Amino acid sequence: MQAVLNPPPPTTGKAVAIEESPGIPVYIYATVFASFCVITGLIWDICWHLSIGRDGLLSPPHLVIYLGAVVSGLFSGYEILRKTFWGSAQEKAKSVKIWGFFYSSLGSLFCVWGALSMLTSAPFDDWWHNTYGLDVTILSPPHTVLILGIIGIQFGAMISVIAVKNQIRFFRNIHFNNHKNLDKVLFWLFALSAGFLLTIWYTLISEELGRMRTHRSSFYIFAGAAFPILMMAVGKAVSHKWATTAVAAVYTVLMLGTLWIIPLFPAEPKLGPILNHFDHYQGFQFPLLLIIPAIVIDLLRNRFAYLNDWKLTPIFACAFLLVFFVVQWYFGAFLMESPYARNWIFGSHYWYFGNSPDWQYRYKFGPWMVESTPDLLKGLGIALIATLISTRIGLAWGNWMYKIQR
């Protein structure tokens, strides 16, 4: 039997009489598709830089990213104009008013601003490359503007879905059979949009979460601060037994899909110095095993649904950090050192063209990659504090999302 963590709000006959049950607007599908485009385009762009080095304003990965921005901007912008000029009084009452004139859903507002930010970053990024050369970090100034726009679109897509889902939940007790299938579709749209957001969350700090860092406490400090905030929020936002697991599964499938598909295509370095020669794309990173702590969190979430958020916080935080540390510590060693990880499935053999393929620490931990036991324990204590804070914020964020209907 599926557990319901947050009971639906009561309905009244009067409310049902004057309102129609909402469906799934077209712009919802468009924003989720746009969210998919921008994250896959971004991962492809990272692989492009690892494999080819030199790109341009209209490189194929950039076009996929811009496609997501355009789709999100156009469909969300049209939805704002439709509500403003042709929307009913009920629609406007459920909308957010912008600049005292425009009416918009909260999700559409984020999507439009995200699209504008992304499209603004394009010429900025081209100028940056022409002036300063190749980026040496993911978070260069133009990339920061781009990623903020991507987060805006992905957050907007997630909020758009959850708002419609919450509106439909309002009518569930009255028309349950009519909405059962619709609710399933919305759940998976939510899982997709939240999973894409989790992927960009990971991409932002991926430089701190490589396999070479899995035996340092900083790896777990970054993970504990970054991931529970979203994973706990999605578990609170929807009444589904496996919400957190579904979102983590979307992240895992997307990362594996790009890792397995992109390296099938030919590519060669075009920017010196070239120390590592190859003729196909180099893949990104194997996904973190977030799905395992996600399963544990869902089990605990349904087991202790009666507890308040302050009591849930230490349970969830300790469970996440303990499970993630155990599985990622040993799996990181496998990815780093085992010859069985140097293949198409795990991708540990992929290597940047500017690095020597004969580096002695390519497949083993260097002395600076490990810590003494006291330093590791101290760092894990900091990671626990970060995880507790992230978990509590995530639970509060999830409660807020659960109530969104605009």
Side-chain angles (χ1 to χ4, degrees):
M1 181 177 180
Q2 179 173 306
V4 177
L5 303 185
N6 295 291
T11 61
T12 64
K14 181 179 180 181
V16 173
I18 64 173
E19 296 188 36
E20 295 181 359
S21 171
I24 304 179
V26 175
Y27 83 94
I28 296 291
Y29 294 100
T31 54
V32 174
F33 171 75
S35 181
F36 171 75
C37 287
V38 294
I39 187 57
T40 52
L42 181 63
I43 294 176
W44 185 7
D45 190 49
I46 293 173
C47 294
W48 182 288
H49 282 280
L50 292 173
S51 310
I52 299 173
R54 188 174 61 200
D55 65 356
L57 180 63
L58 299 179
S59 66
H62 288 177
L63 292 178
V64 176
I65 295 173
Y66 303 152
L67 173 64
V70 170
V71 169
S72 175
L74 287 179
F75 277 85
S76 298
Y78 171 77
E79 182 66 13
I80 293 174
L81 294 177
R82 186 193 66 79
K83 284 186 176 180
T84 301
F85 296 103
W86 302 288
S88 65
Q90 289 181 359
E91 279 189 308
K92 292 181 178 180
K94 297 177 182 178
S95 300
V96 178
K97 199 169 186 180
I98 311 168
W99 297 332
F101 181 77
F102 293 101
Y103 290 88
S104 169
S105 67
L106 190 60
S108 294
L109 182 60
F110 275 101
C111 285
V112 167
W113 283 113
L116 291 174
S117 177
M118 286 180 62
L119 296 175
T120 300
S121 74
F124 183 25
D125 186 52
D126 190 53
W127 169 83
W128 184 273
H129 284 299
N130 292 332
T131 305
Y132 299 105
L134 185 68
D135 293 309
V136 295
T137 179
I138 290 178
L139 292 178
S140 64
H143 285 178
T144 301
V145 176
L146 172 67
I147 290 175
L148 288 174
I150 291 175
I151 291 175
I153 287 178
Q154 294 186 313
F155 180 70
M158 183 176 70
I159 292 300
S160 295
V161 175
I162 197 65
V164 174
K165 195 174 188 308
N166 289 343
Q167 292 169 20
I168 289 176
R169 189 182 76 238
F170 182 84
F171 296 89
R172 181 179 294 170
N173 290 347
I174 307 301
H175 306 290
F176 181 80
N177 290 331
N178 293 337
H179 296 149
K180 189 175 181 179
N181 293 333
L182 194 61
D183 197 58
K184 289 181 179 179
V185 173
L186 282 167
F187 170 75
W188 283 109
L189 287 173
F190 175 79
L192 287 170
S193 58
F196 300 154
L197 182 58
L198 180 62
T199 308
I200 189 63
W201 222 263
Y202 162 76
T203 305
L204 281 173
I205 57 173
S206 59
E207 292 174 321
E208 305 295 334
L209 297 176
R211 62 180 182 272
M212 294 183 179
R213 299 174 183 263
T214 54
H215 285 188
R216 293 189 63 85
S217 59
S218 61
F219 183 96
Y220 303 96
I221 293 173
F222 276 96
F227 299 124
I229 189 173
L230 180 57
M231 295 174 67
M232 306 304 168
V234 299
K236 273 282 187 176
V238 295
S239 301
H240 194 282
K241 185 176 181 180
W242 299 108
T244 311
T245 302
V247 171
V250 170
Y251 155 78
T252 303
V253 170
L254 179 60
M255 290 294 298
L256 287 177
T258 52
L259 177 68
W260 293 342
I261 294 174
I262 292 177
L264 298 177
F265 294 90
E268 59 181 5
K270 295 183 178 179
L271 185 70
I274 301 172
L275 303 180
N276 182 34
H277 296 269
F278 45 76
D279 56 10
H280 281 72
Y281 273 103
Q282 301 297 283
F284 194 30
Q285 301 181 21
F286 194 90
L288 302 179
L289 300 181
L290 292 173
I291 193 167
I292 298 179
I295 293 172
V296 174
I297 292 300
D298 275 336
L299 292 173
L300 293 173
R301 191 167 58 87
N302 291 280
R303 171 65 179 82
F304 298 105
Y306 59 89
L307 296 179
N308 64 45
D309 289 350
W310 287 105
K311 293 179 180 178
L312 290 174
T313 296
I315 297 174
F316 289 171
C318 292
F320 173 86
L321 184 60
L322 177 61
V323 174
F324 183 73
F325 172 75
V326 171
V327 298
Q328 204 64 52
W329 179 278
Y330 290 104
F331 189 67
F334 167 77
L335 291 176
M336 188 67 183
E337 299 177 333
S338 174
Y340 296 106
R342 301 165 201 170
N343 50 49
W344 173 76
I345 296 177
F346 296 102
S348 293
H349 63 298
Y350 297 128
W351 200 242
Y352 176 55
F353 64 81
N355 291 340
S356 171
D358 300 320
W359 187 45
Q360 61 176 324
Y361 294 112
R362 180 177 178 180
Y363 293 124
K364 68 177 182 179
F365 290 102
W368 67 95
M369 300 179 194
V370 295
E371 292 177 317
S372 65
T373 301
D375 288 340
L376 178 63
L377 293 176
K378 179 181 177 181
L380 290 177
I382 298 173
L384 178 58
I385 295 173
T387 306
L388 286 165
I389 296 172
S390 180
T391 298
R392 186 63 187 90
I393 295 174
L395 293 174
W397 181 17
N399 289 331
W400 173 76
M401 286 197 292
Y402 184 78
K403 300 174 184 177
I404 292 176
Q405 294 192 31
R406 297 191 173 204

